Amino acid sequence: MLELKNISKHYNVAGTDFTALDNISLKFRKNEFVSILGQSGSGKTTMLNIIGGLDRYSSGDLIINNTSTSTYSDRDWDRYRNHSVGFVFQSYNLISHQSILSNVELALTLSGVNKKERRQRAKEMLEKVGLGEHINKKPTQLSGGQMQRVAIARALINDPDILLADEPTGALDSETSEVIMELLKEIANEKLVIMVTHNPELAERYSTRIINLKDGHIIDDTMPYEDSTKNEVELTSNNKTSMSFFTALALSFNNLLTKKARTILTAFAGSIGIIGISLILSLSTGAQDYIDRIQADTLTMYPITIEDNAIDLSSLLELQENNNDDKEDKDKKDDKLVTTKNVTTQMLTGMQAFTGTTENNLNNFKKHIENNKDQLKDLTNAIDYGYNINLNLYNKIDDKITKLNPFEYIDNPAEDSGFATSSSNQPLNAWEELLGNKNLLESQYDLVEGKWPEKKEELVLFVDKDNQLSDLSLYQLGILNPNDLKEKQEKIAKGEEVNEIDKDISYDEILKLTFKYIPSVSFYENKDGSWISKEDDQELLEKLYDDALELKIVGIVKASEDSSVESESGKVGYTKELTDYIIENVNNTEIAKEQLDNQEIDVFTKKPFLKAGEEIQPAKLEELPENIRTYVSTLPEKEQKEALINFAEASKNTLEDNLKTLGIVDKASPNFINLYPKDFESKEKIDDFIKDYNSNIDDENNQIKYTDFVGLIMSSVSSIINVISYLLIGFVSISLIVSSIMIGIITYVSVLERTKEIGILKSIGASKKDISRVFNAETIIIGLLSGSLGILITGLLILPANRIIKSLTGVNNFAVLPIKASLLLILLSVTLTLIAGIIPSRIAAKKDAVEALRTE
């Protein structure tokens, strides 16, 4: 069954060779009680360790069932120790942080026995050794004899063929020793029991065979065994030994519980890196979110706007920068000389370019956008097409129908001063279509009262952050009578004192405001084939007002506290549905259809429009209004002819003039396109999108031209953000390295502390992989605890941090740690501790079992 054949074992101690066993040959029966006696250093324990597979022989062979072990792999020895051999040690070698039930179960766990079965078998084994009532106690709660019986129960739990006992009574009193010896004697009736002892009396009383060793040699054997292979049993098992990960977790968790204070301090120390990282991440996330909001808000206020008639100011704005770069490559001949820098040519060239107006073909560009919507979807918050619609709005003020939009109640002094411009002549307009992205609007503005518009009849009023409206807005909304402005302007012009407006308006009053939309085309009547304006007809106006579409303010909004947009106080927003309704309604009228069907004839005069290059013919005197006709007739003939030409030129309409007057809009040709980028990076990609479009247009006149003001001003923002991000990443990397080194050191300390446990695990068949798994489990627990503690502490620190930031910047909830980031940081903590523990766990796995068991 078991044979030692010419076994020798040599050690090198401090450079000196030492022989523990010298050419030992022994054979054992399958069931007998063998006691090995000898003085200290005779080789008794070495022989026992070699038989148990804890130590390796230097030469010779260990024969098991006529099979040499010289070719055994580590896995073979692990199986042998787990299934065929049971160890009982003088110092018991129980794992103190496990219950005695768990200690006994451990060998079954390595054998792959399921939890229910191994618990049942462990209980039965403890009952056999008389400890059925103590299964939940820890080893430190038992007497020496009880602990030794636990060790015997653990040794027998896998029903091994060999029981090896190393001084099993050495630490016990005589009475307890006899109890243990009786138990071993009973076991020897069925198994091979080999016991090392210094007590010859106990050996004589209980052993069936005594072997004496001296200086590594056998000097006496009371019952040598001759060869006999009959009825031999299979000593080894083919079952693999493997410790489950959950068992490794339980071992490590219970070990950590025995050192609660140190475990908590270790976890806290490990969490410092995670706290640093998570705080940085919280701040950087908050900063990035804030920057994103600023970008979105900025780009909402300053979208990429492409107009049908555009002036490209880019060359003029970049002129100074180019001029500054010109001199950099020139060598200075003398530092004391003042040199000349030529800028006039470039400046005049730039001004020449500035004075030119470019027409953009937005019809083709809109088609290009619609065909590439998927490409722009991820780059933009919204794409809005703008049209010059005539939003004629009326309301009854003091029982009189009053036109509120276009607002034409303020005279422009610039007209009389000679400084009037096309923009200064435009009437004030408080009405605009809402941004197409409702989610973006709701993120930037808070609903003060009511709701956001959902239908074409619904409007929303914008107030400033202090819930204020300007007095001008009150006039534009009809809350104050706009006719009073004429009188007020006259008083100011005369230097007279005027009363300031001090009026509070309730939300209910605002939400009751309604307006009537009357299209311009409704005022034209076909008379004898010509269309005549009847805008001054009060009776017609009353009828149109009664039948007009009613618009109602349904909500009041203002810029949210966290938003950087400024509420355009007094602005009234309407939906795209209203725009579409107005365009469709106007385009389907009779006068609009007539003008669109015959675009060469003026529907008002029934005369052809003036063609390009065609000379303007003087007007006929009888065609002039009576007062003008009387004045012109008094002029000399030459001046009279010039006056008639001037009148003809002033009264000559173009197709574009008529379409604008009537409010006719071609949806395929917007007047402007607003592209709202999500951020500056997206804006750059949209710029590239437009450049790609232009690159495919051969005719420069059809290429898109616009001025990118935001791009020119904010081009460095992305670079700044990237630099800050790189600095944060560098700081985080240092924290991670420090944390990893610290966890590695702590794990190594744990390896040193649990060295004896390593030996115990190996003695019951744990493999190197199992030992590594135990310490990997410990690092995972530490990592999980450190990460969770780090996130918890970060959450607590964020609260005062946000208060401080709020007091300094006015920004609410700046620092935010997303849940997903928290989970990733905990996972990162576990991963880093696991990596940090690789070297210590390998050191643990490579520890010599015999040396480990000797550790106290």
Side-chain angles (χ1 to χ4, degrees):
M1 179 181 178
L2 180 65
E3 178 183 0
L4 278 70
K5 189 175 182 179
N6 303 320
I7 292 290
S8 293
K9 177 62 179 178
H10 305 288
Y11 292 103
N12 188 286
V13 181
T16 302
D17 288 333
F18 172 75
T19 300
L21 295 175
D22 188 8
N23 202 28
I24 294 290
S25 293
L26 274 174
K27 295 179 182 178
F28 297 92
R29 298 170 183 85
K30 71 173 184 179
N31 59 306
E32 62 176 337
F33 193 163
V34 181
S35 290
I36 302 175
L37 300 175
Q39 296 179 349
S40 296
S42 61
K44 305 185 302 298
T45 301
T46 301
M47 180 188 295
L48 202 69
N49 289 336
I50 288 174
I51 292 172
L54 287 178
D55 207 352
R56 301 289 184 269
Y57 45 87
S58 302
S59 63
D61 199 359
L62 178 67
I63 308 296
I64 302 173
N65 262 3
N66 297 319
T67 302
S68 171
T69 60
S70 59
T71 59
Y72 267 24
S73 65
D74 287 342
R75 181 171 292 180
D76 293 328
W77 285 114
D78 295 336
R79 281 200 300 265
Y80 172 67
R81 288 194 304 274
N82 184 250
H83 295 284
S84 302
V85 180
F87 282 92
V88 179
F89 302 97
Q90 176 182 355
S91 55
Y92 325 124
N93 285 345
L94 301 177
I95 300 176
S96 61
H97 55 77
Q98 296 281 86
S99 68
I100 63 173
L101 181 64
S102 297
N103 269 276
V104 175
E105 276 189 74
L106 201 51
L108 291 175
T109 303
L110 293 171
S111 301
V113 179
N114 65 65
K115 183 177 182 179
K116 183 178 180 181
E117 182 182 348
R118 69 174 181 254
R119 179 142 297 193
Q120 182 62 33
R121 285 170 58 179
K123 286 180 180 179
E124 292 175 356
M125 185 58 66
L126 285 169
E127 287 173 0
K128 282 183 181 181
V129 297
L131 296 173
E133 297 178 356
H134 305 281
I135 60 174
N136 293 319
K137 288 184 178 180
K138 296 290 178 65
T140 52
Q141 296 173 296
L142 303 178
S143 66
Q146 288 173 323
M147 285 193 283
Q148 195 61 288
R149 277 185 278 170
V150 174
I152 293 172
R154 181 183 62 190
L156 297 175
I157 191 65
N158 254 339
D159 193 24
D161 298 296
I162 304 171
L163 184 67
L164 303 176
D166 188 3
E167 297 282 357
T169 61
L172 304 176
D173 59 57
S174 58
E175 185 178 347
T176 306
S177 297
E178 289 182 2
V179 174
I180 297 300
M181 291 304 293
E182 286 291 346
L183 186 56
L184 293 176
K185 183 178 179 180
E186 183 183 345
I187 294 168
N189 291 329
E190 298 178 356
K191 302 179 184 297
L192 171 60
V193 177
I194 303 175
M195 179 182 70
V196 168
T197 181
H198 284 96
N199 193 329
E201 292 181 5
L202 287 179
E204 291 285 348
R205 286 176 58 188
Y206 295 101
S207 301
T208 59
R209 180 182 177 186
I210 297 174
I211 299 172
N212 277 282
L213 288 181
K214 184 177 181 181
D215 298 332
H217 297 88
I218 297 173
I219 59 174
D220 185 39
D221 186 347
T222 62
M223 192 183 293
Y225 179 52
E226 300 299 328
D227 256 334
S228 175
T229 58
K230 294 179 181 180
N231 301 320
E232 291 291 349
V233 295
E234 181 66 30
L235 195 61
T236 58
S237 169
N238 290 323
N239 293 331
K240 294 181 179 179
T241 63
S242 178
M243 179 186 291
S244 72
F245 181 68
F246 291 105
T247 301
L249 277 176
L251 279 171
S252 295
F253 183 72
N254 289 329
N255 173 64
L256 292 172
L257 285 180
T258 64
K259 310 174 184 69
K260 294 186 183 69
R262 195 185 76 174
T263 300
I264 293 172
L265 289 174
T266 301
F268 176 72
S271 70
I272 291 174
I274 296 299
I275 293 170
I277 297 167
S278 53
L279 279 175
I280 291 170
L281 184 60
S282 300
L283 292 171
S284 63
T285 300
Q288 190 58 55
D289 290 344
Y290 181 71
I291 290 169
D292 289 343
R293 290 199 303 271
I294 293 294
Q295 287 181 348
D297 295 346
T298 301
L299 295 170
T300 298
M301 293 185 290
Y302 303 102
I304 296 177
T305 300
I306 304 170
E307 299 178 318
D308 51 359
N309 292 300
I311 299 174
D312 187 4
L313 303 176
S314 300
S315 58
L316 195 63
L317 289 173
E318 293 173 353
L319 180 63
Q320 182 62 40
E321 181 181 349
N322 293 335
N323 286 336
N324 290 337
D325 294 339
D326 286 344
K327 199 67 180 177
E328 290 181 1
D329 296 331
K330 295 182 179 180
D331 295 331
K332 294 182 179 179
K333 295 181 180 179
D334 192 334
D335 291 340
K336 295 183 179 181
L337 292 178
V338 176
T339 59
T340 303
K341 185 174 183 177
N342 293 299
V343 298
T344 53
T345 303
Q346 293 177 336
M347 184 181 69
L348 292 173
T349 303
M351 291 180 65
Q352 181 67 30
F354 168 71
T355 56
T357 301
T358 303
E359 290 189 5
N360 284 319
N361 188 339
L362 297 190
N363 184 304
N364 289 340
F365 189 59
K366 182 186 177 185
K367 291 178 183 177
H368 183 67
I369 290 175
E370 295 297 319
N371 292 335
N372 294 275
K373 264 193 172 181
D374 291 339
Q375 183 179 347
L376 292 174
K377 183 178 179 181
D378 296 331
L379 303 176
T380 57
N381 285 318
I383 300 174
D384 286 347
Y385 302 110
Y387 303 93
N388 289 333
I389 60 173
N390 291 343
L391 187 61
N392 299 319
L393 299 178
Y394 298 80
N395 206 345
K396 278 192 176 181
I397 301 176
D398 298 334
D399 295 326
K400 180 182 179 182
I401 298 175
T402 304
K403 190 174 186 179
L404 296 178
N405 193 68
F407 195 78
E408 301 170 334
Y409 295 92
I410 297 179
D411 294 330
N412 192 343
E415 294 179 4
D416 299 325
S417 65
F419 292 101
T421 63
S422 58
S423 60
S424 64
N425 290 325
Q426 295 294 325
L428 297 173
N429 183 19
W431 303 74
E432 64 179 22
E433 183 181 319
L434 291 170
L435 183 67
N437 188 332
K438 187 178 179 182
N439 291 332
L440 181 60
L441 274 176
E442 291 178 351
S443 69
Q444 296 175 333
Y445 295 93
D446 291 333
L447 194 62
V448 176
E449 191 75 9
K451 65 173 186 175
W452 285 94
E454 296 174 354
K455 304 174 184 178
K456 67 176 182 295
E457 300 90 354
E458 296 178 339
L459 310 168
V460 64
L461 174 67
F462 291 80
V463 296
D464 68 14
K465 290 188 176 183
D466 296 321
N467 276 21
Q468 288 186 329
L469 287 173
S470 67
D471 55 349
L472 179 59
S473 297
L474 300 183
Y475 287 117
Q476 290 177 300
L477 293 171
I479 295 174
L480 298 177
N481 194 332
N483 291 299
D484 296 343
L485 278 176
K486 293 283 188 183
E487 180 183 349
K488 190 172 186 178
Q489 190 171 18
E490 289 174 1
K491 285 184 178 182
I492 292 174
K494 294 177 183 179
E496 299 178 7
E497 185 177 350
V498 296
N499 296 324
E500 298 294 337
I501 304 297
D502 184 14
K503 181 178 178 63
D504 294 330
I505 310 101
S506 69
Y507 290 159
D508 289 339
E509 186 177 351
I510 292 174
L511 294 179
K512 289 178 182 178
L513 288 176
T514 59
F515 309 89
K516 292 293 186 78
Y517 161 67
I518 304 176
S520 300
V521 291
S522 301
F523 291 101
Y524 288 90
E525 182 179 284
N526 194 326
K527 191 171 185 179
D528 298 330
S530 295
W531 292 91
I532 300 173
S533 174
K534 303 188 69 178
E535 193 169 358
D536 296 331
D537 189 332
Q538 287 298 314
E539 185 177 343
L540 175 62
L541 180 61
E542 290 279 355
K543 182 178 182 305
L544 292 174
Y545 184 85
D546 292 338
D547 298 335
L549 174 69
E550 185 176 80
L551 307 180
K552 185 177 187 300
I553 293 180
V554 297
I556 305 170
V557 298
K558 67 178 179 179
S560 61
E561 191 174 349
D562 294 335
S563 173
S564 63
V565 299
E566 291 293 336
S567 289
E568 297 184 88
S569 179
K571 282 286 184 181
V572 181
Y574 56 86
T575 63
K576 181 178 182 297
E577 285 73 18
L578 179 61
T579 301
D580 293 338
Y581 168 81
I582 291 173
I583 293 173
E584 184 177 355
N585 184 58
V586 170
N587 289 0
N588 286 332
T589 59
E590 186 179 348
I591 185 174
K593 289 180 180 179
E594 182 179 330
Q595 184 64 83
L596 291 172
D597 290 342
N598 192 352
Q599 298 187 13
E600 295 181 355
I601 302 298
D602 187 341
V603 292
F604 301 127
T605 64
K606 294 303 177 183
K607 295 180 179 179
F609 290 114
L610 187 68
K611 295 180 181 179
E614 183 178 349
E615 186 177 349
I616 297 176
Q617 298 299 319
K620 295 180 180 178
L621 191 64
E622 59 270 19
E623 293 176 346
L624 272 61
E626 184 176 353
N627 58 336
I628 298 177
R629 183 171 62 248
T630 302
Y631 167 73
V632 171
S633 61
T634 62
L635 296 174
E637 183 178 350
K638 184 177 180 182
E639 293 181 11
Q640 187 177 116
K641 185 176 180 179
E642 290 179 359
L644 292 173
I645 291 176
N646 290 337
F647 182 82
E649 185 174 358
S651 60
K652 193 67 176 179
N653 290 334
T654 64
L655 175 62
E656 289 72 19
D657 293 331
N658 282 9
L659 296 179
K660 185 176 180 179
T661 299
L662 296 172
I664 299 172
V665 169
D666 181 5
K667 291 190 72 175
S669 300
N671 297 97
F672 63 89
I673 299 174
N674 283 335
L675 300 169
Y676 295 86
K678 290 185 175 180
D679 47 44
F680 291 118
E681 184 179 352
S682 298
K683 189 197 72 63
E684 291 174 3
K685 292 180 180 179
I686 295 173
D687 290 338
D688 293 337
F689 175 82
I690 298 172
K691 290 176 183 176
D692 290 341
Y693 171 80
N694 287 337
S695 66
N696 295 318
I697 305 296
D698 295 331
D699 187 358
E700 287 189 11
N701 294 326
N702 288 325
Q703 292 179 355
I704 297 299
K705 297 177 179 64
Y706 69 102
T707 301
D708 182 10
F709 291 104
V710 176
L712 292 170
I713 298 169
M714 303 295 291
S715 60
S716 61
V717 171
S718 296
S719 300
I720 295 171
I721 294 171
N722 289 336
V723 170
I724 294 172
S725 299
Y726 294 147
L727 290 174
L728 291 176
I729 290 170
F731 181 80
V732 168
S733 299
I734 295 172
S735 300
L736 294 179
I737 293 170
V738 173
S739 298
S740 299
I741 294 173
M742 182 193 65
I743 295 297
I745 294 171
I746 292 171
T747 307
Y748 181 67
V749 171
S750 181
V751 170
L752 297 178
E753 290 180 339
R754 299 176 69 184
T755 299
K756 191 159 190 174
E757 185 180 333
I758 294 169
I760 295 169
L761 291 172
K762 287 197 171 186
S763 72
I764 60 174
S767 65
K768 291 180 179 179
K769 186 180 291 185
D770 294 330
I771 302 300
S772 291
R773 189 175 288 126
V774 168
F775 289 95
N776 286 337
E778 181 170 321
T779 58
I780 287 174
I781 294 171
I782 292 291
L784 185 62
L785 190 57
S786 296
S788 302
L789 190 61
I791 296 302
L792 177 62
I793 294 173
T794 300
L796 296 175
L797 291 175
I798 281 176
L799 298 176
N802 277 334
R803 290 185 179 181
I804 294 170
I805 293 171
K806 171 72 184 304
S807 65
L808 294 175
T809 66
V811 180
N812 276 324
N813 300 321
F814 183 84
V816 178
L817 185 61
I819 294 177
K820 186 177 180 181
S822 300
L823 295 175
L824 288 175
L825 281 173
I826 293 174
L827 180 61
L828 177 64
S829 176
V830 172
T831 303
L832 288 174
T833 54
L834 189 58
I835 293 172
I838 287 176
I839 294 176
S841 65
R842 287 186 176 179
I843 292 173
K846 292 179 179 180
K847 277 190 175 294
D848 182 81
V850 175
E851 293 294 330
L853 287 169
R854 290 175 183 165
T855 305
E856 293 298 334

